[in-house]
Amino acid sequence: MVEDSAVTTHTDSLPPMLDAARANSRRVESRDPATGEVWREYDSASPSDVARAVAAARRAQPGWAATPVRERATVLERFRRALYARRAEVAELICRENGKPPSEAMGTEVMLVLDFARFYRRRAPRLLRPRSLTPGNAAFWRKRVHITHEPFGVIGIISPWNYPFMLASAQVLAALVSGNAVVLKPSEFTPGTGVMIGELMRQAGLPDDVLHIIAGDGSAGAALIAGDVDKIFFTGSNATGLKVSRACAERMIACVLELGGSDPAIVLEDADIVNAVSGIAWGRFSNAGQTCVAPKRVFVVDGAYDAFVARLGETVAALQMGAGSSPDTDVGPVIRPQQRALLESQLDDALANGARIAARTPAGAGHTSGDGFFPPAVLTGVTSEMRVMREETFGPLLPVVRVRDADEAVRMANATQYGLSASVWGRDVRRARAVAARIESGSVSINDSIIQAGIAEAPHGGIKQSGSGRSHGEAGLLECVQTKTVIVDLVPRLREPWWFGYGPEQARGLDAFVRMWHGTSIAERAGGVWRSIKMLVRHERPL
């Protein structure tokens, strides 16, 4: 999903014990992707720094867990209000570190985090409250089942640079309201955004040491995973995700992984072409194409193909490229020059093997010259052997494939190691839902794209090589707790009929109960009633 040379934050937000003034520490640079300008530097946490942060979080966690969930939710509400008051400042920071345009920083980052804070503030007290139930089997008539949700303890979060505020905050908010302490390691490409999360939480009155932000590259992430944490949330590439999974397995701790995707978009013959082009173009090229759930392979049914490609070409040609700080920018820079180099190599591979550029955004007015800009491109004539169809293309490069019908589209959509998300476009929503049901992915949008990762109530995650576990929604909240069951016997003086003391009478009684409870006729069930009652109220002491 993202380049994993990057996961970090700002030592200004670390507790004093981490000594942010280490003179010989390697520095982490925050750069403006449009210009390459280094506008701030951060000390990179060492493994011992990470260990101290985790230890401080562990000391603080019991007190935070003992705080009633409604009071923890109140901290989230204060966070939401603080973010709302500082929304312009936060959006400006995101634009500078990530390069996305102001509308995207506000609409796909700040607004969504406000939604997540409100959702978890409202939902957590109800979802996490203890509940009791009576078993459905009459043999357990004396039992009461009490279910509670307990925090893991200390959760480590390694977050990406492509949506540095939204993706990190959504997991932090869920983990905190569940009673966990958190050590967050944001990307080394967007450290200031991670620091901002810590500042807003302090402003909201979160107790000291419940949240730590650590700066560093992959070595700091490795130290966090190897440290005394109880669960890891990781968002990044498949290669790194596999290493994270193995490291967590060696320690027997749980992890949630949101990894790469090569999400298909299927355009049916009855699709509204104007709407489909507009939605797919926005989903693919917004955030400079650096979106995990973006449409990365488009399969258009033959009857709609020519009109779709023609309209898409017009749309792409009209896009404006520029620095993220400009309000007129549609598509900003990719995060780093090496990301552009990777996209160029994928494009070159496609062209060398027969693909054609059907449309491309002009690199003219508004386009800041520099290695961070990759003009959006549409490819036709692609085949399944090309890298753009096999690999994740994390940037504004979009292959469009003509298919005979929906069946062929589904087969090609599923012919991938990935299974993060997808979209289906068609006026007949019932038919579109039937197509969506056949796609192998964690989520599917119908007549929209990438929205699935931004709805607070919707679980987000993938299948196959796109990861495991879920973030967001109730499922994301439940990923942050361990379910505990306590079963109480209300009549402890009675022995259980299945305890030792086996014999013919006990066997007949158990068979009678099975006939009474599961018999296939009224007579069969009635015939077992008396012996069943006698068995269930036996007073003999157990062996």
Side-chain angles (χ1 to χ4, degrees), residues 72-326:
R72 300 197 299 261
T74 298
V75 173
L76 266 60
E77 175 60 15
R78 293 199 295 264
F79 169 89
R80 188 182 70 85
R81 294 178 181 178
L83 172 57
Y84 176 77
R86 300 176 66 180
R87 63 190 184 279
E89 175 190 357
V90 175
E92 182 179 0
L93 171 63
I94 295 168
C95 290
R96 187 165 194 179
E97 279 204 319
N98 171 273
K100 65 184 64 182
S103 293
E104 293 179 10
M106 184 63 70
T108 64
E109 297 261 20
V110 173
M111 183 184 74
L112 298 186
V113 173
L114 290 169
D115 288 347
F116 280 110
R118 174 180 284 164
F119 170 73
Y120 286 129
R121 185 260 296 177
R122 291 177 174 175
R123 193 71 190 104
R126 287 177 287 181
L127 185 65
L128 301 181
R129 66 186 175 191
R131 61 189 182 96
S132 300
L133 58 87
T134 301
N137 190 322
F140 305 135
W141 66 275
R142 296 152 40 188
K143 312 298 183 185
R144 294 297 179 271
V145 179
H146 303 279
I147 300 171
T148 58
H149 300 290
E150 300 182 352
F152 276 89
V154 178
I155 288 181
I157 297 175
I158 301 175
S159 63
W161 48 260
N162 60 328
Y163 287 84
F165 192 65
M166 185 271 285
L167 291 175
S169 293
Q171 294 176 346
V172 167
L173 292 168
L176 289 176
V177 79
S178 302
N180 299 280
V182 174
V183 179
L184 168 66
K185 183 188 177 304
S187 169
E188 68 189 25
F189 294 165
T190 52
T193 306
V195 173
M196 178 58 73
I197 296 172
E199 290 182 5
L200 291 167
M201 278 299 177
R202 283 195 298 273
Q203 188 175 340
L206 184 71
D208 292 344
D209 289 330
V210 173
L211 172 65
H212 285 255
I213 315 294
I214 59 172
D217 56 13
S219 62
L224 180 59
I225 296 167
D228 186 29
V229 296
D230 301 294
K231 188 166 185 173
I232 288 289
F233 283 74
F234 171 81
T235 305
S237 74
N238 296 69
T240 303
L242 181 59
K243 295 177 183 178
V244 171
S245 178
R246 287 171 175 167
C248 289
E250 288 177 359
R251 294 193 51 230
M252 288 295 289
I253 63 171
C255 62
V256 172
L257 307 173
E258 199 235 290
L259 308 177
S262 187
D263 296 3
I266 295 177
V267 181
L268 301 173
E269 63 271 18
D270 70 334
D272 182 314
I273 296 299
V274 172
N275 189 62
V277 167
S278 182
I280 290 173
W282 176 74
R284 170 69 282 192
F285 301 124
S286 61
N287 199 34
Q290 300 165 128
T291 301
C292 54
V293 292
K296 299 186 177 78
R297 298 172 297 143
V298 183
F299 302 99
V300 186
V301 173
D302 183 65
Y305 180 86
D306 291 334
F308 179 89
V309 171
R311 179 76 185 191
L312 181 60
E314 296 172 1
T315 299
V316 170
L319 294 175
Q320 295 294 314
M321 293 191 67
S325 57
S326 171

Side-chain angles (χ1 to χ4, degrees), residues 15-40:
M17 70 177 67
L18 294 191
D19 185 14
R22 291 184 302 273
N24 297 321
S25 173
R26 189 181 64 78
R27 307 288 281 176
V28 173
E29 298 176 339
S30 179
R31 294 177 177 267
D32 183 332
T35 64
E37 173 196 3
V38 178
W39 66 281
R40 195 164 185 181

